[in-house]
Amino acid sequence: MTQTRFAARLTRQPLPFDPEAAADTARAFADQPPEIRDLLAATAACAPYLRDLMRREGDWLRAALDLAPEAAMAGILAAPEEAGLDRLGAALREAKGRAALLIALCDLGGVWRLEEVTGALTALADRAVDLSLRRLVADEIRRGKLPGARPEDAATAAGMTVLAMGKMGARELNYSSDIDLICLFDQDRYGEDWSEARAAFIRVTRKMAAILSDVTEGGYVFRTDLRLRPDASVTPVCISMAAAYSYYEAEGRTWERAAYIKARPCAGDIAAGTRFLRALTPFVWRRHLDYAAIQDAHDMRLRIRDHRGLHGPIVVEGHNVKLGPGGIREIEFFTQTRQLIAGGRDPDLRDNTTVGGLAALAAKDWIPADVAEELSTLYRAHREVEHRLQMVNDAQTQTMPTTAEGIARIAAFCGQSDAAFREGLRARLGRTEELVDGFFSPPGGAAEAPVPGDVTLPEGFALSDHARAITEGWNAYPCLRSDRAQSIFRRLRPQFLRALSRAANPDEALLALDGFLKGLPAGVQLFSLFEANPVLIELIADIAGTAPALAQYLSRHAGVLDAVIGGSFFDPWPGLSGLAPDLARRLAEVPDYERKLDATRRWMKEWHFRIGVHHLRGLIDGFEAAKSYADLAEAVVASVWPVVVAEFAARHGPMPGRGAVLLGMGSLGAGRLNAGSDLDLILIYDAAGAESSEGPKPLAVRSYYARLTQAMVTALSAQTAEGRLYEVDVRLRPSGRQGPVATSLAAWRDYQANEAWTWEHLALTRARVMAGAPDLAAEIEGLRRAIIAEKGRGPNVIADVAAMRARLAAAKPARGAWETKNGPGRLMDIELLAETAALIAASPARPVERQIAAAKDLLDAEEREALLSAFRFLWPLHCAARLLTDGPLDPAALGEGGRAFLLRESGAADEAALSERLALVTAAAGGIVSRRFEGAEGAAGPGGSAGGDG
């Protein structure tokens, strides 16, 4: 849109506080239109500083006010560009005076909104810092003080970057702001000469601060503060990015994280500064919901008020509109703290402005929309008062005058009567404090005594002596060693005990909670999360009373609880089509390989936990859980594969030939996993005549794909700081442990046609491509079907499978009467017959139910129905058992909550009925399988495994 001249956009003006000053200014600008003359007169009558600028810059001001203010501001910013280093300070000071006058008039006249006012002030600061930096770096290069740097490198400050922090970073500078800067340089750019480069950049930083801050006859440009840099008391004014990163990674504190919400590169090598901030993302934006930041912010507020003596009731005289109760900092802390809580999980919350941050929080339902709107209005009003305080004498102050005359001046400057101004200011400050104070003040106070051992228990909740002794020992656990953790847990403990009192067996549930607490490495973050979200206490108690193994898992991976309050935890399952793109998007946001692997682990564990909770609470059954676990595994494999391939290709070149695919075997291929399943994978590649890769470190084709396979297995199974994804088994490849870990297409085809044992053909009935080249995947699927059709007609299939079944029975007998997987009539036995039926029928079906349905030549209708009924009974029982325990199923060892879960999943009335049905079902299924293989003889081959479910 066309920019309109200044006069046409005036909407308001101050009241003239000093009539004599107003009259003098009106006479001096008698040649101006009345609306401009009146604004200048009223402004001069309220602000001696602005009156002096009008006198000094009268001719320039007349010309500037004849333009659109945006054009006048652009001229101010452009003027210092022509100044050399010797004149730069003077040019910047002249620009500062003119900008101060123009911006003040735009503000006072209502020509610009607050964001335009602060944006213009910030643009001037950016310009001043960047020009000073580039001129000084060019001087260091000219004098040969920066090793290897060329004159053209001055355009990007030869690898030095300046981060704007605080209000400058957010483009929210106030009228007389100082500017907070952090100066960094790229140490890697200078190799062994980095210390010489550092010395040069330290000189540049000091000279830049002098250009901007020193007070001369022309005034100053901006007061410059360099103390926000890492460990400012012992570090030089410019440090390397590597040193800064190491500091934040090891020692960074909550206030430093909050400071980086607003950080942005403003001068020098902008690209390098952007990369540094991107690398710092995990420090600032933690993936877990960081409710401990609330307490940290509350403590900071109290420390600031203590230091400044700002406690007490709100009064107008002497009130600090920034740091005092109900002031600007309250709104900023409120916004930033909520951003810190959830911004690690949701990048949309990372707006670095206060008003923008409030809007983003409201859009994602972290705060009510009306609260965000009201706080934004209050923030703008507070900032306008702050500007008026500073315009009077260009003082860096946020404190209201202590005299009635001083208050009257500010009231007039705001265009209000004294009484109306006082009433409005008190109302706004009080309303701000009312809106934010409940958020910061922790319930019960933050300084309570440590947790005693004799907290009163809920009525009807009697602990055994052993359990009571355990609760009295909680203070010694790592999670409760700090006073702060104990203080929070003291408030939580009654809620936990009340929730546990509702468990099937409260004593057992308490012991499970003890295991959870014992495994926590720290408590402040998690306990803060519980305190802010009591629903999590109920969930933990529910898990502790039903699945102690899941409670122990939680103690090692407590971050998964973030997902519960993320808003969609109890939504329907998104399926593979929703999971895979979500993970791919997450990984695209992460800059390096190791962090991508950690991000995958965090993501997977959240979804894995969600499946377990949905299953435990009866929102899904065992078959839905099985499909969900399989979708999750496939999404992980499909998303991690391109990440591993790209990392490997960077060193050894792209995949030679047609590429490779990952073939999922066993239950992964069949699309049915449980909570403890590992993954059976095979890599098949097609060299297509290539002999080696083409890259920085080329490899022969066989070595390339073997090492790529190992890289993929490591990516999935390696133990990192975030744990592991899955155990991976590659033994179902041709020749098992003796064969190469990657198999060429030709070798795989030949092996399956001429050498494979019958059990390996059985395994093919459940094989499915998980990731890789689509054309190669289609060819392998075609070969799979052709091999099944050919080998199923062999005369020895039944005999081979019978021998294999006998060996499995000897090697993996049932582990007791409650066994669901191994032994006659159990899952593996039924799956073995189903795979045999699919092989004989040449059926490409992978799920057990469809394989059995295809077995019309092997089983009659009654036998098929009996086997299907047995499978439908055994699988939910097995899936539930794997959620509850890693060991053999033993209802007596599960506790009452676990037994209740098993009964619900099986539909049995009680434990005796369940035991009886299990015996009947397995006997019937075992009889059917045995009759199919009775009298058969053969040799299934070594190993003899058709791929279990892990």
Side-chain angles (χ1 to χ4, degrees), residues 185-203:
F185 74 97
D186 184 357
Q187 178 176 322
D188 294 339
R189 180 167 177 164
Y190 293 93
E192 294 180 355
D193 296 324
W194 71 270
S195 60
E196 186 179 346
R198 182 180 66 174
F201 288 129
I202 290 171
R203 286 193 298 273

Side-chain angles (χ1 to χ4, degrees), residues 823-892:
R826 270 78 171 176
L827 287 171
M828 186 172 287
D829 211 26
I830 296 171
E831 290 171 352
L832 187 65
L833 182 56
E835 291 165 8
T836 304
L839 188 63
I840 292 173
S843 170
R846 297 179 181 90
V848 169
E849 300 94 326
R850 290 179 58 197
Q851 291 180 339
I852 291 175
K856 296 178 181 178
D857 294 336
L858 189 64
L859 302 167
D860 61 33
E862 186 177 344
E863 289 173 323
R864 293 198 301 274
E865 183 56 38
L867 285 177
L868 286 172
S869 178
F871 182 79
R872 291 173 185 141
F873 169 73
L874 287 168
W875 177 264
L877 196 60
H878 178 68
C879 195
R882 292 307 303 268
L883 180 61
L884 297 177
T885 176
D886 291 332
L889 178 59
D890 179 5

Side-chain angles (χ1 to χ4, degrees), residues 518-533:
K518 185 184 294 184
L520 289 175
V524 170
Q525 289 284 351
L526 190 60
F527 297 157
S528 298
L529 183 68
F530 289 155
E531 188 167 39
N533 300 275

Side-chain angles (χ1 to χ4, degrees), residues 16-178:
F17 178 73
D18 180 347
E20 185 178 341
D24 287 346
T25 303
R27 285 191 293 273
F29 289 92
D31 57 332
Q32 293 298 295
E35 60 272 24
I36 290 181
R37 183 176 65 244
D38 291 347
L39 172 65
L40 295 176
T43 298
C46 292
Y49 170 66
L50 294 176
R51 182 185 182 190
D52 289 343
L53 284 176
M54 290 178 201
R55 289 171 175 169
R56 192 169 74 224
E57 296 286 358
D59 292 341
W60 170 85
L61 180 60
R62 289 177 172 84
L65 293 180
D66 197 40
L67 304 170
E70 293 80 8
M73 190 67 202
I76 292 171
L77 296 177
E81 179 67 39
E82 303 303 319
L85 182 58
D86 58 334
R87 288 201 63 258
L88 181 61
L92 290 174
R93 281 160 177 75
E94 180 180 83
K96 169 63 183 295
R98 291 176 174 179
L101 183 53
L102 176 67
I103 293 168
L105 293 171
C106 287
D107 185 357
L108 295 166
V111 174
W112 282 347
R113 296 176 297 111
L114 173 70
E115 287 77 9
E116 293 170 300
V117 170
T118 59
L121 289 164
T122 306
L124 177 66
D126 285 354
R127 185 71 168 149
V129 173
D130 189 56
L131 277 176
S132 301
L133 180 65
R134 288 192 285 113
R135 295 282 194 277
L136 290 165
V137 168
D139 187 57
E140 291 289 318
I141 294 173
R142 180 184 59 79
R143 294 191 294 117
K145 298 298 184 179
L146 272 170
R150 301 162 299 175
E152 56 267 28
D153 292 333
T156 56
M160 181 176 169
T161 189
V162 179
L163 302 181
M165 309 296 288
K167 285 186 166 61
M168 182 178 176
R171 296 182 172 85
E172 294 177 340
L173 281 181
N174 59 46
Y175 193 77
S176 294
S177 274
D178 56 6

Side-chain angles (χ1 to χ4, degrees), residues 248-303:
Y248 291 122
E249 189 176 49
E251 303 180 45
R253 292 157 289 182
T254 297
W255 72 263
E256 288 170 310
R257 293 175 56 215
Y260 270 94
I261 290 178
K262 297 182 179 295
R264 65 179 174 86
C266 69
D269 193 335
I270 301 296
T274 301
R275 288 193 300 272
F276 174 77
L277 291 179
R278 190 180 299 124
L280 213 59
T281 297
F283 163 68
V284 181
W285 303 108
R286 294 179 179 168
R287 289 298 302 170
H288 57 74
L289 294 171
D290 190 11
Y291 279 93
I294 298 176
Q295 181 69 54
D296 289 337
H298 177 65
D299 292 344
M300 277 191 279
R301 292 166 73 234
L302 296 182
R303 284 196 298 272

Side-chain angles (χ1 to χ4, degrees), residues 628-675:
S628 299
Y629 285 125
D631 286 345
L632 181 60
E634 186 168 354
V636 167
V637 171
S639 300
V640 170
W641 171 247
V643 172
V644 173
V645 168
E647 176 73 7
F648 196 79
R651 296 193 301 272
H652 304 294
M655 289 187 285
R658 294 171 64 198
V661 299
L662 286 171
L663 201 59
M665 309 294 287
S667 293
L668 175 63
R672 180 172 288 140
L673 299 179
N674 62 59

Side-chain angles (χ1 to χ4, degrees), residues 190-230:
Y190 293 93
E192 294 180 355
D193 296 324
W194 71 270
S195 60
E196 186 179 346
R198 182 180 66 174
F201 288 129
I202 290 171
R203 286 193 298 273
V204 166
T205 303
R206 287 173 175 160
K207 291 177 181 178
M208 178 182 72
I211 289 174
L212 299 174
S213 301
D214 286 356
V215 179
T216 69
E217 61 181 13
Y220 65 98
V221 188
F222 288 97
R223 290 175 291 268
T224 303
D225 192 337
L226 304 172
R227 291 174 296 174
L228 282 184
R229 67 185 184 276

Side-chain angles (χ1 to χ4, degrees), residues 316 407-408 411 416-426:
V316 173
I407 299 295
Q416 295 180 285
S417 68
D418 184 80
F421 174 76
R422 286 172 178 272
E423 181 181 356
L425 179 61
R426 273 195 297 262

